[in-house]
Amino acid sequence: MPANQSARHQKRSRLSDAASEKPARPNEERSKRRRVSGGNGSPNFNTEEPIDGAEDASNSNAQTQDVDMQKRPAPWSFSRPVGGRYNNLDPILTDDEAYLLVCLDTAIQVFATATSRLSRTLQMEAGQRIIGFSICPEDQENLFVFTSSGSISKWNWSSGKRISRWETTSTTVSTSLASIEKEGNKTTISFSITSQKDGKRQISISTLGDKKIQGTNVLETSQRLNTIKVIHDGRVIVASDGQRLFMGTTTSAELRNLETVQYSWREATLPVNATCFDIRGSDSIDLAVGESGGSILIYQNVLNTLFGKETSDKKSSPRKLHWHRGSVNTVRWSKDGNYIISGGQESVMVLWQLDTGRKQFLPHLSSPICNIVVSTSGSSYVIKLADNSVMVMSTRELQPLATITGLQLCPDMGGRAEPPKSSVVAKLHPQQPERLIVAVPASHQLTQNQHGSQPANAAVLQTYDIRANSHISRQALARTNATTLSVSPEGSQIVAPDVKHLDIVHDAKWLATVDSWVPHAKDVEALDRSSPKSIAALRPEIFLKFWKWDASSDTWELVTRIDSPHFAENHQSTVLGLVSRPSAHEFATLGSDSVLRFWCPTAKYRSGLKAKDQPEQSTWKCRGLVDLKGCLDNAQASPLDTASMSFSEDGSVLAVCLPSTSAANDGLVLLIDARNCAVHYRRTGVFLGNPCSTSFLGSHLFVASTHSVAVWDTVDDIVKTIQSSGSVDLPGAGNSQLIAVNARTKSLAIATRGSKRGKNRFQINIYDVPSFEVVFQETLKISPVALLSDSYSGDYIVIDSAVGVQRLGCMDKSSQKSQNNQSRDVTGQIDSGLASLFTRGQERLPAQNDEDTDSSAQAKGLASVFGDTPAYSLPAIGVLFRNVVQTLGST
């Protein structure tokens, strides 16, 4: 085995955290996984958590769990999640602009702006959702993190260690920090909006320097306040619910004693539906409000323009700026107060010069703008986009200084706890299984609440390293828009093609994709629906594309495009499935026309030139087809709407699962001979309902359908139902089951997406094969959208609707595999290292007969040491080294 390949395999065998700086030992990794899976215990109410003691307790608990897990036959567990969608909180750029802190729902990631690489991850406990985080005003290396349950923790973000933690009983909605001087020392205080059981909202102030939190409520209102900002070291508080604005003011002397502090509150009704606001304090208090209609209201000296003076009967009108077509998602004051920076649905950042009224644009960003942050020095902007990416840009040149791209999935979903309507098209790289290849949208669109993304067609291929938790590349797979504008001049939505299927051959040299596009209904309203041409215009355009990997440019190069790979009378047919044949450069597709086609590459030559004078080129063609209409016993039936298929491990047999068209065809499975493209065997009654996914493991064929998961022993012809709809209701294909098999661990994983008694339920089960006993079972909090199998490590990859990725692995089998791989890799390195050493020696020395004889003798001696013995049968490293030294000494 080559040295570089051995090194790569050593890296794959580890299951350490992507953000960890030091490689974790197997025992450490095992305890880390179990702590994540089980969750930490909650600390005492309203007390500071002793971190050192907590770590000792965690280690003790981990050891106890290790003893318990040894009793179990297969201790499967989840690793720490990677990926995730950045939430709507403003990113934080440190004062020196060397690091950028970005918040997920349950973690905070620290990136180095010089390299755009992930430095470390601050992971919260299970069930904790972050609603605010701020740098400590006294110490820039400390970070306060607030969760919705009322938990407050203090971290040293540069080292990744948690310093302290407090618990409260309040449900926190929004927070802000300030620093006050008290008795010659600066103290950090938090300003929080909390939700009460009776539905009212409170604004409370708390100190964060003592062992116990001492808080005071300064306002209680029935208005549902959701955003709070403070200026002037906490002397001014501004809170809003989108319809009304509250402002509280106090003095520095009052603020020094939080127990008796009193704020003077003013309340005003906004003339618009506010979506964002920003406040600036200098000689006066200035307010900028962005609204859902696209305008921005500027209140210079807000006490006069919005609230009005106490002696005045009339308020001043605000200044209005209007350019955005949709709602304004974010608005910011510049440091000097001369500019307003705004962003919205148009994916354009606008800079408003207030003195002259001139506008400057930064157009054609990849997606709508969610957040804009101005750095402390004012020399940089931080822009968070809806496609799960963050940019740091210079304020002068408007050039990117750093770009951070997360996993850009946009599944069709209504919420974190709701099942999506479709799965994500994703695969693991066959040669580098740490790389996730997934189809993602070219641009995302925000919903009205700006917290999620609307469903979008996936037209771009993203490669993501799930071990390092970092983005690798993006590439367009289908025809995309020149700009990211999603609305035509007539107001209709412009949609990109949607990649429905993709697969890669075993050596990762070829990629096949299927994309489709349907014109918007308004674009064909003028056509006569009764004519065949107009009916055909409403049908999708379908393309089958074959891509070749170009190592020089690290991109996929389009080689062949097949228009309408499946077709019926007067229209194209939908492609229902695409699979690659193991150990061969070949793909198979199944269309709604009930025709199975096999595709293979062939040499391509230009006419008029000799073959030897032309560079080697390839194109793809259909080498054979199988018409399955005769197997359905219903030639006049409507086109197929669902099907699934899978190759056997050796690639000789293709199993095709077809939906039931009659009682005689209930659960139909066809075994196709891949060599001569003929139906070899037909079996009914294998599954119930419509097939969702199919996988081979040895002689067992697993079929997941809308009502069951069944296994068919193709040798003994025995069918067994593993899981039925008795435990979980599966009303349709949208709430189907995902399955994956792994030959290394000889196991089957089933991820269920359904409902029980009206409640959504997501669960994953792992079965041992061939006993089919449950070795692992766990309920998932978030709906899974993809389930993949890592054939090298034996792990399963679970992708959820919150764009999180987790590994589910077996510790016992993983540790044995790692030991075998390390011994095999070390042996290969010694062999290749000695071979390269002797090769270099021969190249340096002149050709002499004696030395040739010595080299030949050395080669023969080494052959006697290593021989043709398999790597796993070689003796220990010390024995090998002694034999090599004796051989070289004797020659």
Side-chain angles (χ1 to χ4, degrees), residues 34-87:
R34 295 192 181 108
R35 287 200 298 269
V36 172
S37 177
N40 294 338
S42 301
N44 295 330
F45 166 73
N46 205 23
T47 59
E48 182 181 7
E49 181 181 351
I51 300 303
D52 295 337
E55 291 180 353
D56 295 340
S58 299
N59 294 334
S60 176
N61 293 336
Q63 293 175 359
T64 304
Q65 290 177 359
D66 286 343
V67 175
D68 296 337
M69 294 295 288
Q70 288 177 0
K71 301 178 182 179
R72 302 180 183 179
W76 291 81
S77 62
F78 279 105
S79 67
R80 178 174 295 178
V82 298
R85 180 176 287 112
Y86 301 136
N87 60 21

Side-chain angles (χ1 to χ4, degrees), residues 230-252:
V230 297
I231 56 173
H232 292 317
D233 296 331
R235 298 193 303 273
V236 178
I237 303 175
V238 178
S240 176
D241 63 349
Q243 300 292 337
R244 307 186 66 83
L245 194 76
F246 291 80
M247 174 179 285
T249 57
T250 188
T251 62
S252 299

Side-chain angles (χ1 to χ4, degrees), residues 501 573-577 590-594 632 637-644 657-661 689-692 706 733:
H501 307 277
S573 296
T574 305
V575 177
L576 302 177
L590 177 62
S592 59
D593 57 349
S594 304
L632 296 175
S638 59
L640 289 176
D641 55 356
T642 180
S644 65
C657 301
L658 301 177
S660 303
T661 57
N690 294 330
C692 302
T706 54

Side-chain angles (χ1 to χ4, degrees), residues 420-674:
K421 296 180 181 179
S422 60
S423 301
V424 170
V425 181
K427 295 289 181 181
L428 290 179
H429 195 284
Q431 296 296 317
Q432 297 172 308
E434 69 276 2
R435 293 192 173 189
L436 176 66
I437 299 177
V438 59
V440 300
S443 178
H444 296 226
Q445 298 299 321
L446 290 176
T447 55
Q448 293 297 327
N449 59 12
Q450 304 179 20
H451 288 278
S453 295
Q454 293 179 351
N457 290 346
V460 174
L461 185 72
Q462 182 184 19
T463 304
Y464 195 86
D465 192 329
I466 57 178
R467 192 172 62 88
N469 197 12
S470 63
H471 164 82
I472 297 177
S473 64
R474 274 173 56 101
Q475 179 180 349
L477 291 179
R479 172 170 46 90
T480 55
N481 301 325
T483 66
T484 55
L485 297 178
S486 60
V487 180
S488 68
E490 293 78 15
S492 60
Q493 291 289 326
I494 300 176
V495 296
D498 192 14
V499 176
K500 298 293 187 181
H501 307 277
L502 69 85
D503 207 346
I504 312 174
V505 296
H506 66 284
D507 56 3
K509 292 183 178 180
W510 291 98
L511 166 73
T513 62
V514 176
D515 62 84
S516 63
W517 176 82
V518 181
H520 198 274
K522 291 185 178 181
D523 296 336
V524 293
E525 284 182 351
L527 299 177
D528 183 9
R529 299 297 182 87
S530 61
S531 64
K533 291 184 178 180
S534 62
I535 296 176
L538 293 176
R539 297 187 180 273
E541 297 180 1
I542 303 173
F543 302 104
L544 171 63
K545 299 176 182 178
F546 297 98
W547 310 74
K548 185 178 182 180
W549 176 251
D550 187 358
S552 59
S553 61
D554 288 340
T555 57
W556 294 98
E557 177 186 355
L558 180 61
V559 174
T560 305
R561 189 188 80 174
I562 309 295
D563 300 353
S564 305
H566 293 266
F567 50 87
E569 296 181 0
N570 300 325
H571 65 85
Q572 304 182 36
S573 296
T574 305
V575 177
L576 302 177
L578 168 71
V579 291
S580 63
R581 185 178 178 183
S583 304
H585 290 175
E586 189 168 316
F587 294 93
T589 60
L590 177 62
S592 59
D593 57 349
S594 304
V595 176
L596 178 68
R597 295 179 181 270
F598 292 87
W599 306 87
C600 66
T602 183
K604 179 181 178 181
Y605 301 104
R606 290 185 179 181
S607 60
L609 295 177
K610 296 181 179 180
K612 63 179 181 180
D613 298 333
Q614 299 186 38
E616 183 179 355
Q617 295 182 350
S618 299
T619 186
W620 284 73
K621 68 176 183 179
C622 178
R623 72 167 179 89
L625 58 87
V626 182
D627 193 346
L628 305 180
K629 294 185 180 68
C631 301
L632 296 175
D633 293 338
N634 192 357
Q636 303 299 326
S638 59
L640 289 176
D641 55 356
T642 180
S644 65
M645 55 184 181
S646 174
F647 274 102
S648 61
E649 294 185 47
D650 60 358
S652 61
V653 175
L654 175 65
V656 179
C657 301
L658 301 177
S660 303
T661 57
S662 63
N665 276 340
D666 189 19
L668 176 62
V669 178
L670 303 176
L671 297 183
I672 312 296
D673 190 338

